[in-house]
């Protein structure tokens, strides 16, 4: 697996403490909207919801990846500039995960107007009394404004291809699954682990080192 995809998976896993705040309540409420006679299906409906969400993330990743590639080709600029941007964004996300800088959350404002248009469509899908409704709701859930999602999308913009952009967002989405699906003691354990300073700082340091390495490689090729 590409180091980029591993890094995106790690960002989703470690940054999902933000997802627990924003999406945990939504996930719980949606689970309660499933008719009682269908709740015996266990993780089926939560997984369908997340499958829809990850589909939207991947489509967005492919779209912005294509846009980034096309823009650089039209400008006649080197793709290394996109790689440089990707490294900068990785460092920014590492600072977010370490809780040293929260500037990325300001990106959530960018999606508020879009979400205001999408949200009314979700009401027509409730209650979630079929697998199709659950998946379709998940597709719309993927539009929920989230600074970390938008930051990873920015990284997808710098990926240089639709395929790479889609896989980055898919990897990120997969990383958020444990936080969204965990319940009870498992959720509490996950929160405690992410709150541990040694865990947060060490994993943020890994991302920062990879980001700095990415920047160094891009600059080396641009300069020399």
């Amino acid at each position: 697996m590409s180091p980029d995809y591993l890094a995106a998976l790690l960002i989703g896993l470690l940054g999902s403490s933000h997802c627990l705040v924003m999406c945990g309540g939504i996930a719980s409420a949606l689970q309660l909207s499933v008719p009682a006679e269908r709740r015996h299906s266990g993780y089926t409906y939560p997984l369908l919801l997340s499958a829809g969400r990850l589909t939207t993330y991947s489509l967005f990743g492919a779209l912005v990846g294509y846009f980034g590639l096309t823009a650089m080709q039209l400008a006649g600029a080197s793709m290394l500039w996109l790689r440089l941007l990707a490294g900068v964004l990785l460092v920014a996300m590492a600072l977010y995960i370490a809780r040293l800088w929260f500037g990325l959350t300001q990106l959530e404002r960018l999606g508020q107007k879009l979400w205001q248009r999408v949200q009314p469509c979700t009401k027509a899908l409730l209650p979630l009394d079929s697998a199709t409704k659950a998946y379709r709701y998940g597709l719309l859930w993927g539009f929920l404004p989230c600074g970390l999602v938008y930051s990873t999308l920015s990284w997808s913009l710098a990926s240089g291809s639709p395929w790479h952009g889609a896989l980055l967002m898919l990897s990120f989405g997969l990383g958020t699954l444990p936080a969204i699906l965990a319940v009870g003691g498992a959720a509490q354990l996950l929160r405690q682990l992410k709150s541990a300073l040694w865990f947060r700082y060490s994993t943020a340091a890994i991302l920062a080192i990879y980001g700095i390495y990415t920047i160094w490689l891009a600059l080396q090729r641009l300069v020399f």
Side-chain angles (χ1 to χ4, degrees):
M1 180 183 286
S2 164
D4 283 355
Y5 303 147
L6 287 173
L9 186 73
L10 195 62
I11 289 166
L13 180 64
L14 299 173
S16 54
S17 55
H18 186 56
C19 296
L20 285 171
V21 175
M22 292 194 63
C23 300
I26 294 175
S28 300
L30 289 176
Q31 183 65 5
L32 290 174
S33 76
V34 176
E37 65 273 13
R38 295 182 182 271
R39 291 179 194 167
H40 66 277
S41 57
Y43 281 102
T44 301
Y45 277 73
L47 283 172
L48 284 168
L49 284 163
S50 284
R53 182 171 58 89
L54 266 60
T55 299
T56 298
Y57 287 174
S58 300
L59 289 173
F60 282 164
L63 182 64
V64 300
Y66 173 77
F67 178 80
L69 174 64
T70 303
M72 296 304 286
Q73 288 176 339
L74 289 174
S78 171
M79 297 299 292
L80 289 172
W81 288 107
L82 285 180
R83 195 63 185 165
L84 181 63
L85 175 61
V88 172
L89 289 167
L90 271 172
V91 173
M93 286 186 272
L95 291 172
Y96 171 85
I97 287 170
R99 298 181 187 174
L100 296 175
W101 182 66
F102 294 93
L104 294 179
T105 58
Q106 299 302 314
L107 292 172
E108 291 171 16
R109 297 177 183 176
L110 298 176
Q112 287 293 345
K113 290 186 178 180
L114 178 60
W115 177 242
Q116 287 172 4
R117 293 180 177 273
V118 172
Q119 190 176 22
C121 300
T122 64
K123 297 177 182 178
L125 297 173
L126 297 175
L128 301 179
D129 51 10
S130 72
T132 303
K133 278 189 175 183
Y135 179 73
R136 287 166 61 195
Y137 195 105
L139 289 173
L140 297 176
W141 186 5
F143 285 83
L144 183 71
C146 173
L148 201 59
V149 170
Y150 293 161
S151 300
T152 313
L153 268 177
S154 300
W155 188 17
S156 296
L157 178 70
S159 66
S161 80
W163 177 248
H164 191 35
L167 287 178
L168 279 175
M169 288 304 297
L170 177 61
S171 299
F172 165 79
L174 290 172
T176 67
L177 283 181
I180 298 298
L181 298 177
V183 294
Q188 182 62 27
L189 181 61
L190 193 60
R191 289 190 185 95
Q192 290 176 350
L193 180 61
K194 290 177 181 178
S195 297
L197 286 176
W198 67 269
F199 181 77
R200 196 167 68 239
Y201 287 159
S202 59
T203 47
I206 293 171
L207 284 175
I209 290 170
Y210 182 55
I212 292 169
Y213 176 69
T214 301
I215 293 170
W216 179 77
L217 283 180
L219 286 175
Q220 187 181 47
R221 293 174 185 175
L222 282 168
V223 173
F224 300 105

